Amino acid sequence: MIIPIILSGGAGTRLWPLSWGDHPKQFLPLVSNKTMIQETLLRLKGLELGAPIISCGEGHRFMVAQQIGEISEEKPTILLEPMAKNTAPAIAAACCAAMKQDKDAVVIVLPSDHVIADVQAFQKAVKAAAVNAENGYLVTFGIVPTFPATGYGYVKASGTEADGAYTLEKFVEKPCLEKAQEYLASGEYAWNSGMFVFKAAAFLEELKEFNPEMAALSTEAFEKAATDTDFIRLNSESFGKIKGDSIDYAVMEKTQKGRVVKLNAGWDDVGSWSALYDISQKDENQNVLKGDDIITLDTTSSYIRGGKRTIATIGLDDVVIVDSDDALLVAAKGKIQDVKKIAEQIKARG
């Protein structure tokens, strides 16, 4: 049995103006008629699963409960993080919850906002990862790269394949283009997916070795948690003392038990509107039009997402237009990564 741990604490500001504040991208139906957090759990259907554990912030608790309840009869455990402390403490607390279900639990840790096109290939990779996890390894999924991406971190896999996995040699930060081209040509590097499979106890043991304070405080935050109807509130005093860190830095870059399962399943972290354009079906003009009231004339290679108003475009190429109830984004697709700066300015203005 595999227990899903879904991380749902992100703000998703790179998809402003739709993803923002109380409605980050994981709660939006951006790719299908299901929201991204729903899709994350649904792609595990068919595997032998325990009750899911969702880690999120206070402000999103009712949305999580509602959206998971719409697709699953299994009541989830919803852990409320008192404040953002990055992924390692959230995963540690969730592992404590998993061990309440099963002291030998194997968990799969998934961000709530990724897209995976080939579910069958994904599930095959999960099964291979679970075999390695049963043997005490901490497994990450390395996405087989399709181009020399500079926006992703990488993992280097070495050795020969055993039980569907390779030895995790090292993590590398987002590279320059020249380095990314070298990584792609070598065949040894894969994109860092941020998805993991391991025994909950094995992860906590490694965290205790490399960061005993974080391990102790995360465990304490769970043990002192308060139950509030459908939610478990991690103890804010204990959790607040934690020096936040990512799972990569806290454990995966240090462990000698790391393994990589290579995954080629149409993965995307949907980190921008241009990424959403890339994975969406295009019309005859290479446009992606989302909405019922969009009129285009001499417009090509653009992503246009309508709201309640009519959107009309004339003579445009390679743009992104996103309309929401209270904001309108118009940007050159090549500059869309800067939308995060706009969100930061708006936040600064209050």
Side-chain angles (χ1 to χ4, degrees):
M1 185 174 70
I2 300 172
I3 297 176
I5 294 175
I6 312 297
L7 303 178
S8 186
T13 53
R14 289 180 295 176
L15 289 177
W16 181 87
L18 285 193
S19 177
W20 176 249
D22 290 338
H23 289 81
K25 65 176 179 174
Q26 60 265 35
F27 302 115
L28 301 174
L30 294 176
V31 179
S32 71
N33 62 351
K34 295 286 190 294
T35 67
M36 300 193 78
I37 191 171
Q38 289 175 329
E39 291 281 12
T40 300
L41 199 53
L42 285 170
R43 71 175 61 105
L44 296 171
K45 190 175 182 181
L47 298 172
E48 188 178 348
L49 301 175
I53 298 166
I54 319 293
S55 184
C56 68
E58 172 86 15
H60 299 149
R61 66 193 188 280
F62 293 118
M63 254 188 298
V64 167
Q66 177 188 343
Q67 292 195 6
I68 299 302
E70 288 172 358
I71 61 165
S72 175
E73 295 179 1
E74 189 100 52
K75 188 175 180 179
T77 297
I78 302 176
L79 296 181
L80 303 184
E81 302 169 44
M83 66 284 292
K85 291 289 184 177
N86 215 318
T87 54
I91 293 168
C95 282
C96 293
M99 290 177 69
K100 288 285 187 181
Q101 286 190 50
D102 176 3
K103 63 182 178 62
D104 295 319
V106 170
V107 300
I108 178 167
V109 178
L110 299 171
S112 57
D113 54 4
H114 289 181
V115 168
I116 294 177
D118 189 341
V119 172
Q120 187 175 358
F122 171 68
Q123 291 196 359
K124 183 179 178 181
V126 171
K127 291 175 183 177
V131 170
N132 283 269
E134 286 285 4
N135 292 325
Y137 294 113
L138 278 61
V139 184
T140 187
F141 295 97
I143 307 300
V144 177
T146 53
F147 65 96
T150 58
Y152 297 136
Y154 287 70
V155 292
K156 185 179 182 183
S158 64
T160 56
E161 185 180 5
D163 292 327
Y166 298 84
T167 298
L168 172 59
E169 184 172 326
K170 65 177 180 178
F171 284 75
V172 290
E173 298 293 335
K174 297 174 184 178
C176 64
L177 180 58
E178 185 179 358
K179 275 290 181 187
Q181 289 169 335
E182 289 179 18
Y183 295 161
L184 182 64
S186 75
E188 296 179 320
Y189 291 83
W191 294 336
N192 180 9
S193 69
M195 302 186 293
F196 306 90
V197 176
F198 38 66
K199 279 190 172 182
F203 174 77
L204 290 172
E205 286 170 10
E206 291 295 274
L207 182 62
K208 186 176 180 180
E209 179 177 345
F210 302 122
N211 195 327
E213 182 182 46
M214 181 187 290
L217 289 170
S218 299
T219 302
E220 184 179 282
F222 177 76
E223 290 175 346
K224 292 183 177 180
T227 301
D228 176 9
T229 58
D230 293 331
F231 312 106
I232 297 176
R233 297 176 183 274
L234 297 175
N235 183 270
S236 58
E237 183 179 355
S238 302
F239 206 75
K241 294 176 183 176
I242 298 173
K243 295 178 181 177
D245 207 351
S246 71
I247 181 177
D248 292 352
Y249 288 135
V251 174
M252 297 303 296
E253 291 189 4
K254 299 179 174 72
T255 184
Q256 298 299 307
K257 299 177 180 179
R259 291 292 184 271
V260 179
V261 169
K262 293 186 178 180
L263 178 62
N264 188 0
W267 172 92
D268 200 291
D269 70 347
V270 196
S272 68
W273 289 114
S274 58
L276 200 53
Y277 170 85
D278 290 338
I279 65 173
S280 299
Q281 188 171 350
K282 322 293 191 297
D283 67 13
E284 66 275 10
N285 295 309
Q286 294 302 299
N287 294 320
V288 176
L289 307 179
K290 299 288 186 179
D292 297 326
D293 205 2
I294 300 172
I295 303 168
T296 61
L297 181 63
D298 192 24
T299 297
T300 55
S301 302
S302 296
Y303 183 95
I304 304 173
R305 193 177 191 101
K308 296 177 180 178
R309 295 173 287 193
T310 300
I311 293 180
T313 66
I314 304 173
L316 297 179
D317 177 65
D318 224 29
V319 299
V320 172
I321 299 173
V322 180
D323 193 19
S324 73
D325 290 347
D326 56 4
L328 172 67
L329 169 68
V330 181
K333 203 195 299 170
K335 294 285 188 179
I336 198 62
Q337 70 274 9
D338 290 337
V339 73
K340 191 172 184 178
K341 298 178 182 177
I342 297 292
E344 288 168 354
Q345 286 187 38
I346 292 171
K347 186 176 181 180
R349 284 164 43 185

